[in-house]
Amino acid sequence: MSNATLKPIIVWGHEIGPNPLKVRMILEELDLPYEYKIVAFEDMKKEPFISINPNGRVPAIEDPNTGLVLWESGPIVEYLVEQYDKEYKISYEGFEERYLIRQWIGFQISGELDAHLPPAFYLVLPCLLRLRYPLAIYPRTYHTQTT
């Protein structure tokens, strides 16, 4: 399935914080269409969002192309890469390299990365994970943002 024929992936997030941004960075790098839905902090533990993520936190995604609903940034990033990076734009085909990337994803998820690195490191991290450049999220015409 080419990216042109994909339905937009729904990303639930908010306007601040690193975790929804991680998911959006991967979507941008893989040139995948998505719709970004902002969940207000006071609505995260209420319907309809609590049905999507019983933990009541962002990010979460709904992929209409596969029917999968996921929450937590680490598993979402791994899913997007495994499902949609068939040309290895931001990942590796080799066994060792794939697990080295998973190692760093696990380290980042643990929160230890946040404790040891300055916020500016998040601008460099994508380069270390083989992204083409530090990415700011710029709206594209096929993306919509709703509140």
Side-chain angles (χ1 to χ4, degrees), residues 48-93:
F49 185 67
I50 201 76
S51 292
I52 294 162
N53 181 357
N55 191 28
R57 299 181 66 170
V58 293
I61 66 165
E62 294 176 85
D63 188 343
N65 304 292
T66 62
L68 188 62
V69 174
L70 279 177
W71 40 275
E72 293 295 331
S73 60
I76 292 170
V77 166
E78 288 190 79
Y79 164 75
L80 293 172
V81 169
E82 287 180 25
Q83 181 67 28
Y84 294 108
D85 190 19
K86 303 301 183 193
E87 297 173 1
Y88 303 104
K89 291 179 183 178
I90 62 170
S91 64
Y92 293 90
E93 187 173 7

Side-chain angles (χ1 to χ4, degrees), residues 32-126:
L32 296 171
Y34 67 92
E35 178 182 351
Y36 193 69
K37 293 190 175 190
I38 296 173
V39 182
F41 285 104
E42 62 270 14
D43 295 332
M44 287 185 187
K45 307 270 187 201
K46 299 177 186 172
E47 293 295 345
F49 185 67
I50 201 76
S51 292
I52 294 162
N53 181 357
N55 191 28
R57 299 181 66 170
V58 293
I61 66 165
E62 294 176 85
D63 188 343
N65 304 292
T66 62
L68 188 62
V69 174
L70 279 177
W71 40 275
E72 293 295 331
S73 60
I76 292 170
V77 166
E78 288 190 79
Y79 164 75
L80 293 172
V81 169
E82 287 180 25
Q83 181 67 28
Y84 294 108
D85 190 19
K86 303 301 183 193
E87 297 173 1
Y88 303 104
K89 291 179 183 178
I90 62 170
S91 64
Y92 293 90
E93 187 173 7
F95 177 82
E96 182 178 353
E97 292 87 358
R98 281 187 313 203
Y99 282 92
L100 288 171
I101 286 176
R102 285 183 180 172
Q103 169 185 277
W104 281 101
I105 290 172
F107 179 58
Q108 182 278 317
I109 291 169
S110 73
E112 288 298 314
L113 189 62
D114 296 335
H116 297 292
L117 297 170
F121 182 75
Y122 287 104
L123 298 175
V124 178
L125 184 59

Side-chain angles (χ1 to χ4, degrees), residues 21-32 76-77 80-81 90 129 131 135 137:
L21 179 60
K22 296 170 200 172
V23 172
R24 292 173 69 190
M25 289 172 67
I26 298 300
L27 290 163
E28 290 283 340
E29 284 299 318
L30 294 177
D31 200 29
L32 296 171
I76 292 170
V77 166
L80 293 172
V81 169
I90 62 170
L129 295 178
L131 297 176
L135 178 67
I137 301 298

